[in-house]
Amino acid sequence: MTELRGPVRIVGAGLIGTSIGLALARLGVVVELVDADPDNALMAERIGAGSRLVQIEPQLVVVAVPPDHVGEVVAEQLAQTGAIVTDAASVKSKPLADAARLTGDLSRYVGSHPMAGSERNGPLAARADLFDGATWAITPHETSAPEAVELVRRLAEASGARTVELSVEDHDLAVARVSHLPHLMSALAAGTLVDAPNSHLQLSGQGVRDVTRIAAGDPKLWTQIVSANSAALAGLLEQIRGELDRVLVALGKEEAAEELTTILGQGVSGAVRVPGKHGAPHIDLVTVLVTIPDRPGQLARLFADAAASGANVEDLRIDHSPARPVGEVELAVKPGSVDQLVEVLTERGWVVHR
Ligand SMILES: NC(=O)C1=CN([C@@H]2O[C@H](COP(=O)(O)OP(=O)(O)OC[C@H]3O[C@@H](n4cnc5c(N)ncnc54)[C@H](O)[C@@H]3O)[C@@H](O)[C@H]2O)C=CC1
Ligand SMILES: O=C(O)C(=O)Cc1ccc(O)cc1
């Protein structure tokens, strides 16, 4: 059995590299931090993700640099060390092709991709629990050694994730659907707000926040991601262009209302297919709205009271009402625990709406 003993060298101490370092530090694995930007390596070291200098040869190297540089860094690390090498890039075909142009033997390399992140970047955005409960794709290529695949699986599990194995090609098709297209859609929707008057923006509610959150991701990083996956994305974008034409033709025409309902119904059918947290199948959750005073300690009290009811909070949203000294917290729970939750919260003085 291949155990993850360390040291693990992380090249690229940004959001993802530093988060992996922090997750491994929880288990006491020795981590070496390397970055082209010395300030980032220093920052990652200061927040406890590892050390900039480790004298022992790494067992595993994790390349967490932007996708355009992954292939060259993978080839470099294979040449400089006897370690198993993986990367965390959001696309898998291009880094593999780039590395293959630079080195003959890729048996110690296995690509991987943690499916968790943030719209923020750099070591200061890193979190030790970023990958807890997340899915981590492992994408062996034809010559990946089985022990290399096993060690990368250990890395993902040590970081708190559950693993899914896919081919390189299938991975890129999958992320085009579940990550890259949603990102482009979010950016396009958010882009229409740039010139919007403030009087319009002040009507923003949770819907527009949901749709635009991921648009805040680093444009330079996302240019590399979507460009490297252009073939898989092109088909989906053609499909969306066709759907947009259907919407434009149908909008506002009484006789085309059914067409519009069909398109919107497709959205409902697609949305329920997105798996729930921890990769579990989608379950319908019930939401309960609680009004909370905008004062320190209120959220902690609400969570303690929710826990006392026996309900597990599956999801959470907080909405601040402008110009009101209260917030609105939406707790999502399984249908079986909602009655007890409402009863206990009401008993304890919370204003609850279902
Ligand atoms: N941002 C996200 O939510 C996710 C990103 N990823 C992937 O993880 C990788 C890293 O992304 P982030 O951590 O978000 O970016 P980041 O910008 O936070 O960090 C990248 C780090 O790599 C360093 N770097 C760049 N070129 C280098 C080189 N040649 N040698 C050494 N260091 C170098 C930078 O100085 C920076 O510290 C990317 O390949 C991305 O596709 C994967 C999952 C989620
Ligand atoms: O912020 C989110 O919800 C994400 O989905 C983050 C993310 C960004 C890029 C990836 O390659 C994987 C995950």
Side-chain angles (χ1 to χ4, degrees):
M1 199 178 303
T2 318
E3 296 295 339
L4 181 67
R5 298 179 315 274
V8 175
R9 175 182 293 166
I10 294 175
V11 186
L15 164 75
I16 297 298
T18 304
S19 296
I20 296 173
L22 289 171
L24 296 180
R26 297 186 297 196
L27 303 176
V29 176
V30 173
V31 172
E32 181 180 23
L33 299 161
V34 178
D35 200 294
D37 178 343
D39 288 347
N40 281 3
L42 176 64
M43 199 63 75
E45 184 181 68
R46 286 208 175 134
I47 60 180
S51 314
R52 284 172 297 162
L53 211 94
V54 171
Q55 303 284 5
I56 314 160
E57 165 92 350
Q59 178 197 20
L60 174 67
V61 178
V62 184
V63 178
V65 306
D68 281 359
H69 301 279
V70 170
E72 102 207 19
V73 178
V74 165
E76 237 168 61
Q77 292 296 321
L78 286 170
Q80 283 171 16
T81 69
I84 285 163
V85 178
T86 189
D87 73 293
S90 307
V91 281
K92 301 275 52 102
S93 305
K94 182 177 186 292
L96 175 63
D98 290 350
R101 267 195 298 278
L102 297 167
T103 181
D105 178 8
L106 283 171
S107 58
R108 280 185 286 126
Y109 167 67
V110 183
S112 77
H113 179 197
M115 293 305 303
S118 162
E119 57 281 7
R120 298 174 56 213
N121 63 352
L124 291 181
R127 284 175 19 207
D129 64 355
L130 185 63
F131 311 111
D132 285 352
T135 304
W136 191 307
I138 302 185
T139 58
H141 57 88
E142 276 173 14
T143 62
S144 296
E147 57 275 22
V149 179
E150 184 56 27
L151 190 64
V152 175
R153 188 186 306 283
R154 296 290 166 136
L155 167 78
E157 287 167 2
S159 304
R162 61 177 202 104
T163 58
V164 169
E165 209 174 296
L166 297 136
S167 71
V168 169
E169 297 74 24
D170 203 26
H171 167 276
D172 285 0
L173 287 171
V175 291
R177 268 186 213 287
V178 302
S179 180
H180 306 169
L181 183 75
H183 191 91
L184 286 174
M185 293 292 118
S186 176
L188 291 174
T192 67
L193 302 176
V194 171
D195 300 325
N198 286 337
S199 57
H200 293 185
L201 293 172
Q202 75 182 2
L203 300 189
S204 300
Q206 201 53 48
V208 69
R209 288 189 199 116
D210 282 352
V211 167
T212 57
R213 178 184 66 84
I214 54 176
D218 178 5
K220 287 201 179 111
L221 173 65
W222 279 95
T223 299
Q224 292 190 23
I225 295 173
V226 295
S227 306
N229 208 12
S230 55
L233 267 169
L236 289 168
L237 287 169
E238 295 281 356
Q239 193 184 329
I240 297 275
R241 179 156 63 185
E243 296 300 301
L244 280 178
D245 284 339
R246 276 175 76 196
V247 172
L248 274 170
V249 171
L251 260 189
K253 297 198 181 77
E254 232 171 88
E255 67 282 9
E258 214 174 293
E259 168 86 339
L260 215 44
T261 310
T262 307
I263 295 169
L264 294 169
Q266 279 285 99
V268 175
S269 308
V272 298
R273 294 205 63 208
V274 178
K277 68 179 187 180
H278 307 322
H282 178 93
I283 45 161
D284 282 324
L285 297 174
V286 185
T287 55
V288 170
L289 279 171
V290 187
T291 304
I292 67 163
D294 206 355
R295 283 201 309 269
Q298 295 304 304
L299 261 183
R301 190 164 73 81
L302 174 64
F303 290 146
D305 290 346
S309 82
N312 187 35
V313 176
E314 305 285 336
D315 209 349
L316 167 80
R317 272 187 196 153
I318 305 176
D319 214 351
H320 289 281
S321 327
R324 287 181 64 208
V326 293
E328 201 80 77
V329 177
E330 192 179 290
L331 302 175
V333 295
K334 291 196 177 131
S337 33
V338 69
D339 291 340
Q340 186 67 8
L341 174 69
V342 171
E343 195 182 314
V344 170
L345 292 186
T346 310
E347 250 169 45
R348 295 183 179 207
W350 294 100
V351 180
V352 183
H353 334 259
R354 293 179 82 158

